[in-house]
mmCIF file of all heavy atoms in Angstrom:
data_model
loop_
_atom_site.group_PDB
_atom_site.id
_atom_site.type_symbol
_atom_site.label_atom_id
_atom_site.label_comp_id
_atom_site.label_asym_id
_atom_site.label_seq_id
_atom_site.Cartn_x
_atom_site.Cartn_y
_atom_site.Cartn_z
ATOM 1 N N ALA B 67 -23.008 16.733 6.453
ATOM 2 C CA ALA B 67 -23.044 17.301 7.803
ATOM 3 C C ALA B 67 -21.949 16.685 8.670
ATOM 4 O O ALA B 67 -21.241 17.389 9.396
ATOM 5 C CB ALA B 67 -24.422 17.070 8.425
ATOM 6 N N LEU B 68 -21.800 15.386 8.583
ATOM 7 C CA LEU B 68 -20.765 14.715 9.370
ATOM 8 C C LEU B 68 -19.387 15.250 9.017
ATOM 9 O O LEU B 68 -18.543 15.467 9.890
ATOM 10 C CB LEU B 68 -20.826 13.203 9.126
ATOM 11 C CG LEU B 68 -21.977 12.466 9.815
ATOM 12 C CD1 LEU B 68 -22.145 11.064 9.265
ATOM 13 C CD2 LEU B 68 -21.749 12.419 11.327
ATOM 14 N N ASN B 69 -19.155 15.491 7.743
ATOM 15 C CA ASN B 69 -17.851 16.000 7.330
ATOM 16 C C ASN B 69 -17.581 17.402 7.866
ATOM 17 O O ASN B 69 -16.438 17.743 8.157
ATOM 18 C CB ASN B 69 -17.737 15.969 5.807
ATOM 19 C CG ASN B 69 -17.207 14.640 5.318
ATOM 20 O OD1 ASN B 69 -16.037 14.311 5.530
ATOM 21 N ND2 ASN B 69 -18.062 13.831 4.713
ATOM 22 N N ARG B 70 -18.630 18.196 8.005
ATOM 23 C CA ARG B 70 -18.428 19.504 8.631
ATOM 24 C C ARG B 70 -17.956 19.320 10.064
ATOM 25 O O ARG B 70 -17.045 19.998 10.535
ATOM 26 C CB ARG B 70 -19.731 20.296 8.652
ATOM 27 C CG ARG B 70 -19.993 20.948 7.347
ATOM 28 C CD ARG B 70 -20.881 22.158 7.526
ATOM 29 N NE ARG B 70 -21.479 22.452 6.232
ATOM 30 C CZ ARG B 70 -22.335 23.402 6.012
ATOM 31 N NH1 ARG B 70 -22.741 24.170 7.011
ATOM 32 N NH2 ARG B 70 -22.803 23.627 4.811
ATOM 33 N N LEU B 71 -18.598 18.402 10.737
ATOM 34 C CA LEU B 71 -18.274 18.181 12.146
ATOM 35 C C LEU B 71 -16.877 17.604 12.313
ATOM 36 O O LEU B 71 -16.224 17.826 13.334
ATOM 37 C CB LEU B 71 -19.329 17.278 12.783
ATOM 38 C CG LEU B 71 -20.702 17.943 12.879
ATOM 39 C CD1 LEU B 71 -21.798 16.917 13.159
ATOM 40 C CD2 LEU B 71 -20.699 19.007 13.963
ATOM 41 N N VAL B 72 -16.419 16.887 11.305
ATOM 42 C CA VAL B 72 -15.064 16.338 11.358
ATOM 43 C C VAL B 72 -14.054 17.476 11.504
ATOM 44 O O VAL B 72 -13.153 17.421 12.340
ATOM 45 C CB VAL B 72 -14.750 15.501 10.103
ATOM 46 C CG1 VAL B 72 -13.250 15.244 9.988
ATOM 47 C CG2 VAL B 72 -15.504 14.180 10.142
ATOM 48 N N SER B 73 -14.239 18.519 10.725
ATOM 49 C CA SER B 73 -13.304 19.641 10.782
ATOM 50 C C SER B 73 -13.376 20.390 12.109
ATOM 51 O O SER B 73 -12.435 21.086 12.478
ATOM 52 C CB SER B 73 -13.569 20.615 9.638
ATOM 53 O OG SER B 73 -12.957 20.156 8.458
ATOM 54 N N GLU B 74 -14.483 20.258 12.792
ATOM 55 C CA GLU B 74 -14.604 20.938 14.080
ATOM 56 C C GLU B 74 -14.103 20.077 15.221
ATOM 57 O O GLU B 74 -14.079 20.524 16.374
ATOM 58 C CB GLU B 74 -16.069 21.300 14.346
ATOM 59 C CG GLU B 74 -16.620 22.300 13.370
ATOM 60 C CD GLU B 74 -18.073 22.611 13.671
ATOM 61 O OE1 GLU B 74 -18.409 22.778 14.854
ATOM 62 O OE2 GLU B 74 -18.879 22.668 12.727
ATOM 63 N N GLY B 75 -13.770 18.846 14.923
ATOM 64 C CA GLY B 75 -13.323 17.952 15.984
ATOM 65 C C GLY B 75 -14.465 17.349 16.777
ATOM 66 O O GLY B 75 -14.243 16.781 17.850
ATOM 67 N N LEU B 76 -15.683 17.455 16.254
ATOM 68 C CA LEU B 76 -16.818 16.875 16.980
ATOM 69 C C LEU B 76 -17.192 15.501 16.443
ATOM 70 O O LEU B 76 -18.055 14.808 16.992
ATOM 71 C CB LEU B 76 -18.026 17.812 16.913
ATOM 72 C CG LEU B 76 -17.921 19.020 17.847
ATOM 73 C CD1 LEU B 76 -18.991 20.055 17.549
ATOM 74 C CD2 LEU B 76 -18.033 18.566 19.303
ATOM 75 N N VAL B 77 -16.561 15.122 15.360
ATOM 76 C CA VAL B 77 -16.746 13.788 14.786
ATOM 77 C C VAL B 77 -15.396 13.332 14.269
ATOM 78 O O VAL B 77 -14.584 14.147 13.828
ATOM 79 C CB VAL B 77 -17.784 13.805 13.641
ATOM 80 C CG1 VAL B 77 -17.681 12.557 12.784
ATOM 81 C CG2 VAL B 77 -19.198 13.939 14.188
ATOM 82 N N ILE B 78 -15.157 12.032 14.372
ATOM 83 C CA ILE B 78 -13.933 11.469 13.829
ATOM 84 C C ILE B 78 -14.284 10.625 12.615
ATOM 85 O O ILE B 78 -15.251 9.867 12.653
ATOM 86 C CB ILE B 78 -13.220 10.603 14.883
ATOM 87 C CG1 ILE B 78 -12.646 11.499 15.977
ATOM 88 C CG2 ILE B 78 -12.127 9.771 14.250
ATOM 89 C CD1 ILE B 78 -12.029 10.723 17.106
ATOM 90 N N SER B 79 -13.515 10.793 11.561
ATOM 91 C CA SER B 79 -13.744 9.988 10.365
ATOM 92 C C SER B 79 -12.543 9.087 10.131
ATOM 93 O O SER B 79 -11.403 9.544 10.131
ATOM 94 C CB SER B 79 -13.941 10.911 9.161
ATOM 95 O OG SER B 79 -13.698 10.211 7.968
ATOM 96 N N ILE B 80 -12.792 7.811 9.986
ATOM 97 C CA ILE B 80 -11.715 6.885 9.667
ATOM 98 C C ILE B 80 -12.026 6.282 8.303
ATOM 99 O O ILE B 80 -13.076 5.673 8.114
ATOM 100 C CB ILE B 80 -11.615 5.772 10.719
ATOM 101 C CG1 ILE B 80 -11.535 6.388 12.118
ATOM 102 C CG2 ILE B 80 -10.401 4.891 10.460
ATOM 103 C CD1 ILE B 80 -11.558 5.375 13.234
#
Side-chain angles (χ1 to χ4, degrees):
Chain B
L68 285 167
N69 272 291
R70 279 205 200 178
L71 293 165
V72 165
S73 278
E74 295 179 43
L76 284 169
V77 163
I78 290 175
S79 159
I80 308 175

